[in-house]
Amino acid sequence: MSPVKEPPAADAPAASAPAAVSTVAEAAAAGAPIVEPAPDSGRTAAAPARGALKPGTRDAHHRRIQRAVALIEQAIGHGDEPPELSRLAEAASFSPFHFHRVYRAMTGETTGQTVARLRLLQGLRLLANGERSVTDAALAVGYQTPQAFTRALRQGIGGTPSELRAEPERLWREIDRLAQPPAPEDGTAAPLRVEVVSVEPFQVAALRVTGAYPEQNQGYGRLFGWAAHNGLLDSLRGLYGVALDDRRDVPPQACAFDCMLALGAAFADDPGEGIRLQTLGGGRYARVRLVGAFDGLEALTDALLARWLPESGETLRAAPLFHEYLDDPDETPEAVLRTDIYLPLA
């Protein structure tokens, strides 16, 4: 995500400040609630961290994830639909709020990709048996038709059932390959510098957009335009964002993203123009900083969840993971852009 950050020019007209006062006064006169300004400083403070757990905690987290995988395997083995995400989260003892993100970080694939891989794997095992027809194998693992099974084989392996049966060695190589999930992305080889901080609750003006980077940039542009129109740009205290979808799993044009501005001036709680109020903070967070292109945020988040969390003694809280953008990408070289990731902790 590359936010558009356009602070007001030094020679901005003096009418800007009265405009904000006027907006607040009119809202108050109409009886509309007023949002308190975002704190100017001291929004975060060091917080006590939980004691690190005993060696083997990482394995314990993996065993929790494997309980979810076992449910998927069981459903596919019976030809049933895979369990819902809430059931998988319950089996793994993770909050549904963060389960999908944790699962992907620790396995290297989404639950949907696991279902597709294991369904194809079980189908190949039945083909290797030699006693099941292609139709029987397809229906037994949840494909609606043998044609759907054949399409999945072509896309995933590049061969048809008859071709694979004619090459037993190739068939078993594919079985061995599909039996293992992909290696999770490591994010970075460098040690993670994670701080546990307490973040005071603060409110932001938020605008949800759907699309890739250009649409997200336009969303920040709309927020800045709204803030400028209301004389609020001088009170800008920070740029934030919440990615509701993972760009690796959702087509760019379908990715939902919340663009956010924290402001130091009060404003009405019904800004209009699709802008809404949202509260961030209010609790303990693990904070880690990315220095570099925004494209690295997903991999670093995976590393935080897969490498740091299992050994930290911490548990996740049902609140949004958010980003704070510390630099203007129009003025700062991509290689030194700073973005803080905030992971909510119980």
Side-chain angles (χ1 to χ4, degrees):
M1 211 294 307
S2 53
V4 177
K5 185 175 180 181
E6 299 175 354
D11 57 352
S16 297
V21 175
S22 175
T23 300
V24 173
E26 291 172 1
I34 301 300
V35 178
E36 290 302 316
D40 189 22
S41 61
R43 187 151 54 225
T44 65
R50 310 293 186 208
L53 300 186
K54 296 178 181 179
T57 305
R58 180 188 297 273
D59 291 338
H61 272 63
H62 279 288
R63 285 195 295 272
R64 290 165 61 183
I65 292 294
Q66 285 305 311
R67 292 203 296 266
V69 175
L71 280 184
I72 297 174
E73 290 178 325
Q74 184 179 44
I76 291 173
H78 288 90
D80 299 330
E81 288 297 311
E84 295 183 355
L85 200 65
S86 58
R87 178 69 185 92
L88 296 175
E90 180 184 8
S93 301
F94 281 108
S95 163
F97 201 91
H98 294 289
F99 171 71
H100 192 274
R101 193 187 295 267
V102 173
Y103 184 95
R104 195 194 199 289
M106 299 192 72
T107 66
E109 61 186 0
T110 66
T111 55
Q113 290 167 336
T114 299
V115 169
R117 177 176 59 82
L118 294 182
R119 183 170 280 161
L120 202 58
L121 170 64
Q122 183 63 14
L124 288 181
R125 285 172 171 164
L126 293 177
L127 286 181
N129 184 299
E131 298 178 0
R132 306 288 289 268
S133 69
V134 173
T135 298
D136 286 345
L139 298 180
V141 296
Y143 292 100
Q144 297 299 312
T145 64
Q147 291 80 10
F149 180 36
T150 299
R151 283 196 301 271
L153 284 174
R154 285 188 180 278
Q155 293 171 0
I157 296 176
T160 66
S162 58
E163 290 171 348
L164 290 166
R165 272 183 162 166
E167 301 179 65
E169 290 186 2
R170 179 187 176 191
L171 175 57
W172 282 104
R173 282 200 307 271
E174 294 296 342
I175 288 174
D176 290 341
R177 180 179 66 84
L178 291 172
Q180 300 298 323
E185 296 181 30
D186 204 16
T188 175
L192 294 176
R193 300 172 63 87
V194 180
E195 301 174 282
V196 176
V197 297
S198 178
V199 183
E200 297 177 12
F202 64 101
Q203 291 190 301
V204 295
L207 177 67
R208 181 160 300 177
V209 297
T210 301
Y213 289 154
E215 288 75 22
Q216 293 172 16
N217 283 334
Q218 292 170 13
Y220 279 100
R222 286 175 57 191
L223 278 176
F224 275 108
W226 164 81
H229 178 74
N230 289 280
L232 298 171
L233 272 185
D234 283 332
S235 69
L236 180 64
R237 296 239 173 107
L239 270 70
Y240 297 84
V242 173
L244 303 172
D245 295 304
D246 192 316
R247 295 179 301 110
R248 298 168 297 184
D249 307 324
V250 177
Q253 66 273 15
C255 283
F257 185 89
D258 283 342
C259 308
M260 299 172 172
L261 299 185
L263 301 167
F267 54 95
D269 74 341
D270 184 17
E273 302 182 35
I275 299 169
R276 69 185 193 283
L277 303 184
Q278 183 168 331
T279 299
L280 291 182
R284 299 169 66 253
Y285 287 80
R287 179 173 65 188
V288 64
R289 177 165 297 178
L290 172 72
V291 179
F294 298 123
D295 286 345
L297 286 168
E298 287 91 351
L300 183 54
T301 300
D302 283 356
L304 183 64
L305 292 168
R307 289 168 45 194
W308 178 81
L309 181 65
E311 297 176 358
S312 67
E314 301 286 355
T315 56
L316 297 178
R317 176 165 48 93
L321 179 153
F322 65 87
H323 302 153
E324 180 179 10
Y325 305 102
L326 302 172
D327 297 305
D328 184 346
D330 292 333
E331 299 179 359
T332 306
E334 187 178 73
V336 293
L337 283 172
R338 297 170 302 155
T339 306
D340 282 347
I341 300 171
Y342 285 82
L343 179 69
L345 304 174

